[in-house]
Amino acid sequence: MVLIIAEKPSLGRNIASAIGKLQAKSGYMEGEGYLVTWAFGHLFSLADVEKYSPNPDGTARWCREVLPCFPQKFVFELRRGDNGKPDSGIEKQFRLIETLANRPDVEAVVNAGDADREGEIIVRLCIGKALKTKKPVLRLWLPDQTPETVRAALADMKPDSEYDHLAGEGFARTYIDWLYGVNFTRYATLRNGALLRVGRVIVPIVRAIYDRDMAIRNFKPEKYLVAQSRAQTDGETVELTGKKKFSLAEREKAEALCKLYNDTGATVTAVKKKKTTLAPGKLYSLSKLQSVLGKKFKMSMTDSLAIVQKLYEAGYLTYPRTNSEYLATAEKDKMKQILKGVAALGYPVRFKDSKYIFDDTKIESHSALTPTYKIPSPTSLTEDEKKVYSTVLRRFVAVFCSEECTVAKTEMTISVGKLEDFILKGTTVLTPGWMKYDDGGQKDKVLPNLSEGDAVNVTFAPLEKETTPPKHYTIETLNQYLKNPFREEKAELKEKEENGEVDDDTEEYRAMLEGVELGTEATRTSIIDNARKSKYIDLKKDVYTILPGGIHLIETLEDMHITMDKYKTCEMGRSLKKVFRGTLSVEESVALACREIADVFHAADADEENSTGFFGDEIGECPLCHSRVRRTSFGYGCAGYKDKGCRFTIRMKILGKQIPKSAAATLLRDGKTPVLSGFISQKTGKPFDAMLTLEENGRVGFAFPPRETVPEDSIPFVPPVF
């Protein structure tokens, strides 16, 4: 007997169906020499801090004394329910797996986790915990779940040890995310007094949206002038806009330039026409598909991933969590077979052996998303499922379309003497080809019917324009940023996409394969969803915005000097890719994370003088009711609020300056603080120094240090110049 352990019941059923008629048992299926059972996703999770560093008082409360926590050896335990107690369903299923794995007639065990690092370790953990004797462990790798693929994969299973590097990356990522999440979440929450979810990836994602929204809020539009002409030549309107910008105070200069342009006149100096074939978009990675679905249907990443996953489990699409837009060269015969099924639907497709489609150097674990041999019937899908499946199918048809898309491109240069050249570009679709099937096409942009040497009428005049703020992140633009946070979004790249030109994406794939990205295709959606559930960010239609909770998270972490930026996150991503390639051990990558975390705690301890302390810290006596004053989430407040109704508070941040616990304690004790620097004037926006004072009514005021006087005889004599 061969025991196959699937990651989830749906996969187990698909495997059993491909094998043949297996008899259903309680929690597994049996027949044809196979036992097929399953996990429910993660059956095991890492033990909590208390397993490694028990609290001094023996309770399960969070405390600073056990942080940072760096386990010598990580321990996995059966997952618990929301009540903290063992989950009976999970425990029952694992005991079944344990029993089946140790049956005397089971000669080999098969890891049938999803074909990625997470699926690898989910089932690997089950096997490692369940097996009591040494048996061969094999890997069933399924790029899709059609019966044909399952049967072919069963005949070509490899030892699970060949996937050790993949498992190593999965374990390293799990350990590192636990280290960051547990240590910083507990520390930040203890400091803040309310739960703050701090993670290696969630913080830089929220930070990106925070930075963009703050730039929009603080944006101050500026008006400027440009020279623009909009006049008719031979009955056609020609619009020309100069590149030089003038401030409103420079209107006379703008008018002088416009007069010079009008006096000089304009002429068509070049007309280039070119008939070319337009390439379709590439096959979809998960992120690119989610971007298109978000833009076109306003479908959230969570919803689109759930639908793609469902279509994969139904056997209609290939494995969804892929970061590539290319196919492996070994899949050419497979694509020929799929194309036969697509052609039977009436689409004009043919096999194309092109580097634009097949490129092994741009595939990490999984090829691009494509349809499979299995074609859904018109009534088998919901409306949203039809939208997702149709989007993938139509892009597949476009890539392999037998009808070429041809366009006529025109580039016209209109010169105003030798003062400035204006370049106009236009495109006319001659034969739509693949554009009929994939609506990523472009619209015609027709230029005036002018020839080289023709004079062009101009009426240049100053036109007032206004600078525009940055745009909020959308599903599409946030995905672009997360895939390569260090690549600037350049206008020419967008123009290339709009024109259907083939862009050299070598740099993007190099960055992705090196780990220079925020999150992965497998994790990004759930992390963004957690940020939404935590009320850090909001998604309306396809636009992300920061919420007050997100502002509080980022600014609180800044105040605590916890830097979780894209640079450090990507540095950890690089180390994980080295584990995958076998050039770095799991232990070495975890040690890097531990050093990074330890540095934050050391810096916090060293900066005690400027620290705001921890929630609940007592700092002195209330000047109004003589109760104790304690550190709160937003300042230092009187503990007599409930009993005596006392509202005495020292805000934690005053005019942009964070007030340390030591300064607040001094204010209560002495009635004033030492001179503090870093206050920002609301009127001028300039920094200033001041002392905080405590008035009789309990209000906090300002006192300014006396200006130093300079002895007159110390001022050097400078002779006047006549």
Side-chain angles (χ1 to χ4, degrees):
M1 280 284 186
V2 173
L3 171 63
I4 299 174
I5 305 174
E7 181 176 328
K8 53 179 78 74
S10 59
L11 177 56
R13 287 192 294 270
N14 286 342
I15 293 171
S17 175
I19 292 172
K21 294 182 178 179
L22 273 66
Q23 186 177 359
K25 304 282 187 177
S26 179
Y28 70 102
M29 299 181 184
E30 183 174 358
E32 304 294 329
Y34 290 98
L35 297 168
V36 180
T37 189
W38 45 81
F40 302 133
H42 290 276
L43 293 189
F44 291 88
S45 60
L46 283 170
D48 226 328
V49 172
E50 288 70 34
K51 182 76 174 181
Y52 315 105
S53 303
N55 286 356
D57 61 5
T59 67
R61 69 179 183 87
W62 292 5
C63 64
R64 171 68 177 89
E65 289 79 5
V66 299
L67 300 177
C69 177
F70 301 135
Q72 292 296 313
K73 183 179 180 181
F74 286 95
V75 176
F76 284 94
E77 298 178 327
L78 281 172
R79 292 184 67 184
R80 295 174 177 269
D82 294 336
N83 58 5
K85 296 180 180 180
D87 186 296
S88 58
I90 284 177
E91 185 162 2
K92 179 182 177 182
Q93 188 64 16
F94 174 69
R95 297 307 168 200
L96 171 65
I97 292 171
E98 190 176 41
T99 300
L100 295 175
N102 292 290
R103 265 176 46 167
D105 61 338
V106 170
E107 299 172 347
V109 181
V110 177
N111 179 343
D114 276 356
D116 60 12
R117 63 183 68 83
E118 187 176 14
E120 175 64 33
I121 67 171
I122 284 174
V123 179
R124 189 174 278 225
L125 276 168
C126 289
I127 295 171
K129 295 279 189 180
L131 265 181
K132 306 302 181 187
T133 58
K134 197 169 184 180
K135 295 182 181 182
V137 180
L138 306 175
R139 182 62 158 108
L140 183 66
W141 190 264
L142 297 173
D144 64 62
Q145 293 188 25
T146 59
E148 294 90 339
T149 299
V150 172
R151 286 192 287 269
L154 283 169
D156 189 34
M157 291 190 290
K158 297 178 175 61
D160 200 29
S161 58
E162 292 193 17
Y163 297 85
D164 282 352
H165 289 330
L166 180 69
E169 184 188 1
F171 282 120
R173 187 181 298 277
T174 301
Y175 299 152
I176 288 171
D177 285 346
W178 184 93
L179 287 165
Y180 275 95
V182 166
N183 283 299
F184 286 154
T185 294
R186 290 195 176 204
Y187 180 68
T189 299
L190 288 168
R191 288 281 303 270
N192 181 66
L195 178 63
L196 288 180
R197 298 185 189 278
V198 184
R200 183 178 64 89
V201 180
I202 191 172
V203 171
I205 289 177
V206 175
R207 177 91 213 195
I209 297 169
Y210 168 88
D211 287 343
R212 178 63 59 86
D213 281 23
M214 291 302 107
I216 294 170
R217 289 187 192 184
N218 298 327
F219 179 80
K220 294 181 180 179
E222 295 181 2
K223 293 183 178 180
Y224 62 95
L225 300 170
V226 293
Q228 187 181 73
S229 169
R230 186 178 173 85
Q232 286 199 337
T233 299
D234 295 337
E236 296 191 85
T237 301
V238 180
E239 184 176 304
L240 306 173
T241 303
K243 294 178 182 177
K244 186 173 177 58
K245 296 179 181 180
F246 300 89
S247 66
L248 296 185
E250 296 175 315
R251 179 172 288 275
E252 290 185 1
K253 289 183 180 180
E255 290 174 344
L257 181 67
C258 291
K259 184 177 185 306
L260 179 60
Y261 279 11
N262 291 332
D263 291 344
T264 303
T267 307
V268 178
T269 54
V271 178
K272 298 177 183 177
K273 293 186 178 181
K274 180 183 178 182
K275 182 180 176 181
T276 186
T277 301
L278 209 60
K282 295 187 181 72
L283 295 169
Y284 286 123
S285 65
L286 176 60
S287 288
K288 290 293 176 68
L289 175 63
Q290 288 176 311
S291 295
V292 169
L293 295 172
K295 186 175 183 179
K296 186 176 180 182
F297 302 115
K298 311 305 178 191
M299 191 178 290
S300 73
M301 291 176 65
T302 304
D303 292 342
S304 60
L305 176 58
I307 293 171
V308 177
Q309 179 71 23
K310 187 176 179 181
L311 292 171
Y312 161 67
E313 291 175 3
Y316 299 134
L317 294 180
T318 55
Y319 185 72
R321 291 173 174 83
T322 173
N323 56 9
S324 183
E325 299 163 276
Y326 292 84
L327 299 173
T329 53
E331 295 178 292
K332 290 179 181 179
D333 288 340
K334 178 182 175 181
M335 290 304 118
K336 290 176 184 177
Q337 294 301 314
I338 294 174
L339 284 167
K340 288 181 182 178
V342 173
L345 297 175
Y347 291 107
V349 291
R350 64 179 175 84
F351 178 75
K352 298 178 183 178
D353 192 348
S354 167
K355 192 82 170 176
Y356 181 77
I357 304 171
F358 299 95
D359 190 342
D360 292 338
T361 65
K362 292 174 180 174
I363 299 172
E364 185 178 47
S365 299
H366 296 284
S367 296
L369 261 164
T370 71
T372 65
Y373 313 99
K374 190 176 178 182
I375 307 294
S377 66
T379 58
S380 61
L381 302 180
T382 66
E383 286 304 311
D384 280 346
E385 288 168 355
K386 287 178 184 176
K387 291 174 183 176
V388 174
Y389 181 79
S390 176
T391 302
V392 177
L393 174 65
R394 286 177 174 274
R395 177 56 59 89
F396 185 78
V397 169
V399 168
F400 288 100
C401 189
S402 58
E403 301 172 357
E404 291 186 338
C405 174
T406 58
V407 296
K409 292 190 174 185
T410 306
E411 185 177 291
M412 182 181 296
T413 303
I414 298 176
S415 303
V416 178
K418 294 185 178 181
L419 300 173
E420 187 171 355
D421 292 333
F422 299 85
I423 299 176
L424 308 180
K425 294 182 179 181
T427 303
T428 304
V429 177
L430 302 178
T431 56
W434 55 263
M435 279 191 188
K436 291 185 291 186
Y437 311 102
D438 187 27
D439 51 12
Q442 64 175 52
K443 297 177 181 178
D444 286 354
K445 183 181 178 183
V446 182
L447 296 184
N449 186 23
L450 299 174
S451 304
E452 189 173 335
D454 286 351
V456 179
N457 296 327
V458 290
T459 56
F460 280 99
L463 176 69
E464 187 175 300
K465 288 194 167 189
E466 190 174 81
T467 55
T468 57
K471 294 182 179 179
H472 290 288
Y473 275 116
T474 63
I475 292 175
E476 180 183 22
T477 57
L478 184 64
N479 265 334
Q480 290 171 352
Y481 170 78
L482 298 179
K483 283 178 77 70
N484 189 350
F486 300 103
R487 185 189 70 184
E488 294 181 6
E489 299 297 324
K490 296 180 180 178
E492 55 263 31
L493 289 178
K494 186 176 181 180
E495 185 179 344
K496 278 188 175 183
E497 286 183 6
E498 290 175 350
N499 291 339
E501 297 175 18
V502 179
D503 182 34
D504 183 4
D505 54 11
T506 303
E507 182 183 347
E508 179 178 339
Y509 272 87
R510 185 185 298 116
M512 182 180 68
L513 296 175
E514 287 179 358
V516 184
E517 56 182 340
L518 297 178
T520 65
E521 304 290 334
T523 63
R524 200 173 287 140
T525 300
S526 62
I527 293 170
I528 291 174
D529 194 42
N530 282 338
R532 291 175 61 195
K533 289 178 180 176
S534 300
K535 306 294 184 184
Y536 294 154
I537 60 174
D538 191 24
L539 177 66
K540 288 184 178 176
K541 294 187 177 179
D542 69 331
V543 176
Y544 289 108
T545 54
I546 198 74
L547 292 175
I551 295 173
H552 179 64
L553 170 72
I554 297 302
E555 295 184 352
T556 300
L557 293 180
E558 282 182 346
D559 292 342
M560 290 188 286
H561 307 293
I562 296 179
T563 306
M564 301 281 291
D565 57 26
K566 63 182 182 181
Y567 300 96
K568 291 180 179 178
T569 298
C570 290
E571 186 179 341
M572 281 298 130
R574 281 195 183 98
S575 76
L576 291 169
K577 290 300 179 187
K578 290 179 181 177
V579 174
F580 176 68
R581 292 194 294 270
T583 59
L584 193 72
S585 70
V586 173
E587 293 75 17
E588 287 169 331
S589 68
V590 170
L592 287 173
C594 289
R595 284 198 292 272
E596 179 71 41
I597 294 166
D599 287 344
V600 172
F601 279 88
H602 290 326
D605 292 340
D607 195 32
E608 187 62 30
E609 183 65 25
N610 295 314
S611 170
T612 58
F614 288 82
F615 182 84
D617 285 352
E618 290 191 2
I619 66 165
E621 184 180 281
C622 175
L624 300 182
C625 74
H626 306 293
S627 299
R628 304 308 295 168
V629 175
R630 294 192 176 100
R631 158 80 151 73
T632 67
S633 295
F634 302 99
Y636 310 93
C638 179
Y641 171 73
K642 290 183 178 179
D643 298 335
K644 304 176 183 179
C646 183
R647 295 178 177 272
F648 173 77
T649 300
I650 303 170
R651 285 181 292 155
M652 194 180 298
K653 188 169 281 189
I654 299 175
L655 293 182
K657 164 68 178 175
Q658 181 174 282
I659 310 304
K661 184 176 76 169
S662 58
T666 302
L667 179 63
L668 291 176
R669 186 184 68 241
D670 302 338
K672 65 177 181 178
T673 67
V675 176
L676 303 175
S677 59
F679 296 104
I680 304 296
S681 170
Q682 289 181 323
K683 290 184 178 180
T684 65
K686 294 181 179 180
F688 67 91
D689 300 343
M691 297 178 288
L692 295 180
T693 60
L694 192 59
E695 300 174 8
E696 289 185 4
N697 58 6
R699 291 188 177 182
V700 177
F702 286 101
F704 297 92
R707 294 187 179 182
E708 295 183 4
T709 56
V710 182
E712 197 172 309
D713 57 1
S714 69
I715 302 174
F717 173 72
V718 179
V721 178
F722 297 100

